[in-house]
Amino acid sequence: MLYPMAAMVLLIVLVGAVTVKARFASVKRGEVRAKYFRLMGGQEVPEFITKSTRNFNNQFELPVLFYVACTLYISLGIDSDIAAVFAWVFVASRYVHSYVHLTYNHVLHRMLSFWVGFMCVIGLWVNLLIQQG
């Protein structure tokens, strides 16, 4: 479970770097005033600034349930092959979700990758309850 969690941390670092780079570039090009980033308001911003910021924020929503489940597997000493599959598929779905969101942003593709991840988290939790029970 540690490696899938590390892969998620890597995704956060990558999306964070893309977000910071986009923000600096938008200020440098004069598209956004630096003051905008104080409260994230007060002017219209390029679409990519909104997308990258939202995607970064997404990494702290559903993945929280993933991190908690993985931490419980580790702390309770539960070794489960099915949980490992759910964890890696979850991570893959989050990478796909981020890729779709930050590139061509097709809503259906994004939704499908979200739901795959969501179902994997549910699977992790159900399996955890079964293994612990």
Side-chain angles (χ1 to χ4, degrees):
M1 290 300 169
L2 186 60
Y3 293 116
M5 287 195 302
M8 279 302 302
V9 171
L10 177 60
L11 178 61
I12 291 169
V13 169
L14 294 172
V15 171
V18 166
T19 302
V20 168
K21 182 179 178 188
R23 289 178 180 188
F24 275 107
S26 69
V27 170
K28 186 176 180 181
R29 287 190 303 268
E31 297 170 333
V32 179
R33 294 184 313 271
K35 182 180 176 182
Y36 167 82
F37 294 105
R38 284 188 195 162
L39 298 175
M40 303 301 276
Q43 78 173 86
E44 291 291 317
V45 297
E47 182 179 299
F48 192 74
I49 297 298
T50 302
K51 284 195 310 187
S52 62
T53 299
R54 287 185 180 162
N55 190 268
F56 184 75
N57 292 341
N58 288 165
Q59 304 314 319
F60 300 96
E61 294 171 352
L62 180 61
V64 169
L65 297 174
F66 166 78
Y67 292 125
V68 172
C70 288
T71 301
L72 286 169
Y73 276 94
I74 293 168
S75 65
L76 295 171
I78 299 171
D79 187 27
S80 168
D81 290 338
I82 187 122
V85 170
F86 280 137
W88 280 114
V89 173
F90 175 80
V91 170
S93 76
R94 297 308 299 171
Y95 273 81
V96 169
H97 182 270
S98 289
Y99 175 79
V100 170
H101 198 183
L102 295 173
T103 57
Y104 64 99
N105 202 20
H106 190 284
V107 175
L108 179 60
H109 295 167
R110 220 172 77 217
M111 181 188 70
L112 289 173
S113 62
F114 171 84
W115 277 104
V116 167
F118 182 77
M119 297 313 300
C120 286
V121 166
I122 297 300
L124 279 169
W125 277 96
V126 168
N127 185 60
L128 179 64
L129 293 171
I130 291 168
Q131 295 291 324
Q132 191 55 31

